[in-house]
Amino acid sequence: MNARSTGDKRSMPQGMSRYLDSIRYAWHVIFRPFDGFWDLVHERRGTLAAAHTFLFLFLLTRILKLMFTNFQFIDVPLQYINIYEQCFSLLIPFLILCLSNWCLSTLFDGKGHFRDIYMAMCYALVPYILIQLPMILVSNMISFDEAAYYSVMISISILWSGYLVFVGLLEIHDYTPLKTLIFIGATIFGAMVILFLILVFFSLLSDALAFFISLYREIAFRLY
Amino acid sequence: MKTIIRLISLLLLLALPCAALAAKDGYHTSYTYNYDYWGDIRESPDAYKVNQVLYSSTLGLETPMRRPQSLFVRGNMLYVCDTGNNRILEIAREGDVFTLVRIIDSVSGTTPSTFNSPSDVAVDEEGCLYVCDTQNNRVIKMDAQLNFIREYTKPDDSTFDQNLSFLPRRLAVDSSGRVFVLATNVNKGIIKYDTDGSFTGFTGANPVSVSMWDYVWKMFFTTKAQRAQQESFVPTEYENICIDKEGFLFATNTNFEEYDLLVDGAKPIRRLNSIGNDILIKNDHYAPVGDLQWVEQSIDKGPSKFKDITVFDNGVYVAFDRTRGRLFGYDPQGIMLWAFGNKDNSAGSFLAPVSLEHMGQDLLALDENGASITVFSVTQYGSLIYEALDQYLTGQYDESADTWSEVLRFNANYSPAYVGMGRAMMRQENYGEAMDYFKMAFDRENYGRAYRYFRKELVEDNIVILAVGVAALLIVPLILGGVKGMKREVEEHERKKHRR
């Protein structure tokens, strides 16, 4: 096994093999999160490319789930579903939460960089992908009475991912568990503040634009 | 520059869903409609059309009807409770002709012999009339020749608050002659009288529901004076009652909060058994509550409030909504069959809906302000639906599938028909097709049932292939592992040779 993988490395460009290694490393992270997240950041075992891949797969899983899960287990008005809307409604909160966590943890001596936080959060999504993707297939093979199996697996995937988020933040910031919990709460609050600022910014921007447009119209009207 | 173009295209990308949302308003309705699985309105062909509208003039009445309150149908006889004129009209129907038989305004053998604001009327199988003589504080039973038989008065019982005056409002009589009365200001439920006229108690009281939040608010955040002004937690009164063919009471309830409707806490339609429990079957995705959506800015906003209800012999029930003047038909499983009606002056619309009865499959609706009775007769589409329901109930599954497919030719959006087709297919053990039909109607339970049979058949038919497949999955890796192991041994042996 060992001999073969080194053989692969020799025949592949170095970046590619590092990327594949970091993808494979997710397996270690999800089963041994304490060790895994530490090494992910401090031993540079993870790559941003792998993190992007996991985030993409997460979005893909989400959309495939909406499209192909059997209707017995999920209520999707497909006629109203918009893929962009679905993607952005996951992506934007995800990024804002990462940003808010970074803002707060830098202020309160967290060790993680934004890159580390983003990477850890993406790796934490792996159980969601690994469980929910096959469950799409399974949902088409079981009947309504067996819904319990389906919902248990879905719950496990979400709880597991949630646990990984917790451990990931704990490891990369080098916080105590209690401090991590407090910071998760603060992160959610911070995300709301960021959203509020964005809304205020855009509403002021549109007001300012409207002012200049009406100013222009007024001048144009006077001059002609 | 490049970044700006990128930004703009990103914004355009974001704007796409908005354009899709703006195209739909969702509130445009035709006269007859139904709700689909998503709670959206689907126009449908008319299940009923207006046969005729009876006014005081068409009936040849000298004094026109004034604020009539109630209708009753027995056989081909129609009784109208003309409350404002203190009289009951007896009207006979032959074909499509309605003729006034007699005007009942007095009863012999009791004092006072006239009525005072009678608000409801019922007739039993022997032809005895029961009248809710509201302002005279009594319910009168008289024979067909208008001779006084018995009266039902204020219950002489400690469970009835003796300070209240007895104002009977609605009544229903079952086949054995027991009388059920709704009275104003009585919130203990429906007043029951035995065949001999004695009071036997209350039934089906609305349970008092107090939410935690209400309780906390009342206890800790209001002063004593405020509390005295607020209404206290009391059960609500029913709006109307009627008796179905099996002897169960159907009751409608109009006092509820809108949020209760969403969690099926309001139960605007109830079917009460002899001990007063609600046994209405609700097998649809939505409980029978009337309209699921309305325009908040309109005058006629708010949930449907059922003023009256009538039950067909086959168990189909129709409720009459006073909010938007609509009739809602439900099958015995609680699945909405159709809804139609409006609030305006045209035929087939109402100003103040107040009472509903059925004559065979025809519906008779009484309008209080217009003082008119609208007679609806069933269309081909409507009668096909009833036919298919009856065929299924009597076990003619193949025939019911044929009828449902006829219905689908009229209305391809009709999910009860898909469920009906699916059930018929399942009876014929055609599980694959049954699944397709159930899927179209989003019927999960039935789909799951059909799928289990389908899967069972699939596994039984392909048991050999499955067994071989599983075996292959288990054995092939074993063989591969063995081959690998052998190779490695050979290689090591070779290496050792070289080393030597």
Side-chain angles (χ1 to χ4, degrees):
Chain A
M1 184 68 206
N2 219 352
R4 209 190 61 198
S5 63
T6 45
D8 283 355
K9 262 181 189 165
R10 227 171 287 140
S11 62
M12 262 189 291
Q14 229 228 313
M16 191 64 191
S17 81
R18 195 169 131 71
Y19 169 70
L20 286 180
D21 259 0
S22 62
I23 293 262
R24 225 173 282 140
Y25 185 66
W27 192 258
H28 181 69
V29 171
I30 63 174
F31 287 109
R32 288 180 175 67
F34 284 94
D35 182 45
F37 277 116
W38 182 267
D39 286 356
L40 184 79
V41 176
H42 296 89
E43 303 284 325
R44 304 206 141 265
R45 293 292 299 271
T47 56
L48 264 184
H52 294 326
T53 312
F54 292 138
L55 190 57
F56 172 74
L57 282 177
F58 169 67
L59 294 178
L60 193 71
T61 309
R62 177 76 195 161
I63 286 164
L64 289 179
K65 183 185 173 183
L66 291 181
M67 284 173 75
F68 297 113
T69 300
N70 196 287
F71 79 100
Q72 296 176 88
F73 308 104
I74 192 170
D75 238 353
V76 192
L78 270 183
Q79 66 268 39
Y80 301 137
I81 292 285
N82 182 314
I83 287 184
Y84 303 123
E85 204 182 299
Q86 289 295 325
C87 286
F88 285 116
S89 68
L90 290 171
L91 203 57
I92 292 172
F94 181 84
L95 293 177
I96 289 181
L97 282 170
C98 285
L99 184 70
S100 138
N101 187 274
W102 172 69
C103 293
L104 287 168
S105 58
T106 13
L107 288 179
F108 295 93
D109 56 61
K111 301 281 184 293
H113 303 274
F114 183 73
R115 181 179 178 279
D116 303 338
I117 296 168
Y118 172 77
M119 217 153 69
M121 292 304 99
C122 289
Y123 271 78
L125 294 174
V126 170
Y128 184 92
I129 301 162
L130 280 184
I131 294 178
Q132 300 234 351
L133 215 51
M135 285 318 280
I136 296 170
L137 195 68
V138 171
S139 82
N140 285 299
M141 289 159 67
I142 60 177
S143 80
F144 187 67
D145 292 357
E146 294 139 10
Y149 303 111
Y150 179 80
S151 53
V152 159
M153 290 310 281
I154 295 296
S155 315
I156 287 176
S157 78
I158 291 166
L159 288 178
W160 194 353
S161 282
Y163 172 67
L164 289 186
V165 166
F166 172 73
V167 176
L169 291 176
L170 189 143
E171 285 296 312
I172 50 179
H173 292 317
D174 211 359
Y175 281 169
T176 60
L178 182 69
K179 202 174 175 189
T180 313
L181 274 184
I182 293 169
F183 263 79
I184 287 173
T187 299
I188 291 166
F189 179 74
M192 284 178 195
V193 171
I194 291 175
L195 271 181
F196 172 73
L197 288 179
I198 290 173
L199 283 179
V200 167
F201 173 73
F202 276 106
S203 102
L204 285 180
L205 193 71
S206 75
D207 281 352
L209 275 179
F211 170 73
F212 285 115
I213 287 168
S214 61
L215 197 69
Y216 164 76
R217 284 211 185 118
E218 188 74 17
I219 292 167
F221 180 70
R222 300 277 166 197
L223 286 183
Y224 290 107
Chain B
M1 194 60 213
K2 218 173 175 184
T3 20
I4 291 172
I5 289 173
R6 269 190 197 159
L7 257 178
I8 288 172
S9 48
L10 186 69
L11 278 175
L12 283 176
L13 217 61
L14 282 170
L16 274 174
C18 306
L21 285 176
K24 182 184 172 300
D25 67 352
Y27 290 116
H28 174 77
T29 63
S30 69
Y31 183 62
T32 307
Y33 62 94
N34 203 341
Y35 284 104
D36 70 0
Y37 176 79
W38 306 107
D40 285 339
I41 286 170
R42 295 269 171 236
E43 286 94 346
S44 94
D46 288 342
Y48 276 90
K49 62 178 193 300
V50 177
N51 179 304
Q52 55 184 306
V53 184
L54 303 174
Y55 297 100
S56 304
S57 54
T58 42
L59 291 169
L61 286 168
E62 280 164 29
T63 35
M65 289 188 267
R66 251 178 61 203
R67 308 196 74 81
Q69 285 300 310
S70 180
L71 290 181
F72 191 83
V73 167
R74 171 71 66 189
N76 65 338
M77 301 298 280
L78 169 67
Y79 299 83
V80 185
C81 194
D82 189 1
T83 308
N85 293 320
N86 301 328
R87 62 184 183 179
I88 311 289
L89 309 173
E90 194 180 76
I91 297 163
R93 176 183 189 175
E94 267 168 59
D96 278 340
V97 186
F98 287 80
T99 41
L100 184 69
V101 179
R102 58 177 172 174
I103 295 172
I104 303 163
D105 54 6
S106 64
V107 47
S108 56
T110 182
T111 48
S113 63
T114 53
F115 306 124
N116 191 356
S117 297
S119 55
D120 201 4
V121 59
V123 181
D124 68 8
E125 274 152 17
E126 286 109 50
C128 296
L129 272 96
Y130 296 75
V131 176
C132 259
D133 197 359
T134 309
Q135 294 302 329
N136 285 335
N137 306 343
R138 61 179 180 178
V139 174
I140 308 176
K141 180 183 181 182
M142 56 188 124
D143 65 13
Q145 282 71 46
L146 311 183
N147 297 313
F148 175 79
I149 295 176
R150 176 179 303 133
E151 67 177 5
Y152 306 83
T153 50
K154 184 196 285 189
D156 187 17
D157 196 279
S158 57
T159 54
F160 193 92
D161 186 356
Q162 295 297 319
N163 296 325
L164 286 174
S165 54
F166 179 62
L167 298 168
R169 195 161 52 83
R170 298 282 178 224
L171 83 142
V173 184
D174 74 1
S175 53
S176 56
R178 277 176 300 206
V179 178
F180 300 89
V181 174
L182 286 180
T184 310
N185 292 331
V186 174
N187 54 27
K188 285 180 176 166
I190 300 159
I191 305 164
K192 271 196 306 190
Y193 293 97
D194 217 340
T195 29
D196 60 358
S198 59
F199 168 70
T200 54
F202 298 96
T203 185
N206 247 334
V208 186
S209 60
V210 183
S211 71
M212 188 67 196
W213 172 244
D214 278 347
Y215 188 79
V216 170
W217 180 256
K218 270 209 170 167
M219 285 302 109
F220 302 109
F221 295 99
T222 50
T223 63
K224 215 168 192 179
Q226 279 176 326
R227 242 173 287 163
Q229 289 225 324
Q230 281 168 346
E231 51 189 309
S232 50
F233 301 127
V234 291
T236 51
E237 298 168 41
Y238 288 117
E239 182 64 40
N240 213 326
I241 48 175
C242 90
I243 285 208
D244 71 2
K245 213 190 165 207
E246 290 166 41
F248 291 103
L249 269 173
F250 266 82
T252 65
N253 174 26
T254 55
N255 287 313
F256 51 82
E257 299 292 336
E258 207 175 302
Y259 58 78
D260 267 348
L261 213 55
L262 299 174
V263 294
D264 195 27
K267 301 190 178 72
I269 298 174
R270 297 169 200 209
R271 191 182 188 215
L272 305 170
N273 63 7
S274 56
I275 53 168
N277 289 334
D278 181 19
I279 53 159
L280 191 70
I281 303 171
K282 294 165 186 173
N283 277 347
D284 202 4
H285 188 57
Y286 300 101
V289 297
D291 272 323
L292 302 175
Q293 49 166 270
W294 49 84
V295 185
E296 271 304 331
Q297 285 77 26
S298 64
I299 307 162
D300 301 328
K301 64 176 185 225
S304 302
K305 298 275 174 100
F306 297 128
K307 198 76 183 158
D308 199 1
I309 188 164
T310 186
V311 189
F312 288 23
D313 289 350
N314 59 5
V316 169
Y317 51 95
V318 183
F320 200 14
D321 161 32
R322 74 153 183 245
T323 315
R324 276 170 291 272
R326 284 176 186 169
L327 291 98
F328 295 88
Y330 294 94
D331 85 345
Q333 297 291 311
I335 293 160
M336 191 197 267
L337 298 175
W338 38 256
F340 62 86
N342 249 328
K343 252 188 159 176
D344 58 55
N345 272 320
S346 61
S349 304
F350 315 97
L351 294 172
V354 63
S355 185
L356 181 73
E357 274 294 330
H358 71 276
M359 198 179 257
Q361 288 184 336
D362 292 359
L363 287 167
L364 294 103
L366 180 66
D367 188 336
E368 182 182 350
N369 289 0
S372 63
I373 301 154
T374 312
V375 183
F376 291 96
S377 55
V378 71
T379 61
Q380 195 191 350
Y381 170 70
S383 64
L384 276 173
I385 294 172
Y386 291 152
E387 197 188 329
L389 285 174
D390 290 345
Q391 279 166 341
Y392 186 81
L393 282 178
T394 51
Q396 299 161 276
Y397 305 118
D398 297 354
E399 288 85 346
S400 91
D402 292 343
T403 319
W404 280 128
S405 63
E406 279 284 297
V407 173
L408 286 176
R409 269 186 41 222
F410 280 91
N411 183 4
N413 277 331
Y414 198 58
S415 56
Y418 287 115
V419 176
M421 291 284 281
R423 286 198 294 200
M425 288 296 150
M426 206 151 132
R427 295 275 177 181
Q428 294 168 17
E429 304 194 350
N430 196 345
Y431 302 118
E433 242 175 279
M435 275 160 61
D436 290 344
Y437 282 117
F438 288 136
K439 191 171 184 178
M440 272 191 269
F442 289 94
D443 188 336
R444 296 195 162 90
E445 283 93 8
N446 280 323
Y447 179 90
R449 222 166 287 154
Y451 178 67
R452 269 212 314 279
Y453 286 113
F454 180 78
R455 192 176 56 186
K456 193 164 159 255
E457 277 188 354
L458 200 74
V459 169
E460 279 169 2
D461 289 352
N462 301 307
I463 188 74
V464 179
I465 300 171
L466 274 172
V468 169
V470 170
L473 275 178
L474 290 175
I475 291 167
V476 167
L478 266 180
I479 294 172
L480 282 180
V483 170
K484 247 185 207 168
M486 233 184 298
K487 252 187 192 168
R488 200 187 304 135
E489 264 174 44
V490 170
E491 273 170 17
E492 264 172 37
H493 188 73
E494 293 286 316
R495 227 175 285 151
K496 271 178 198 165
K497 259 202 246 165
H498 282 296
R499 234 175 269 163
R500 261 180 228 152

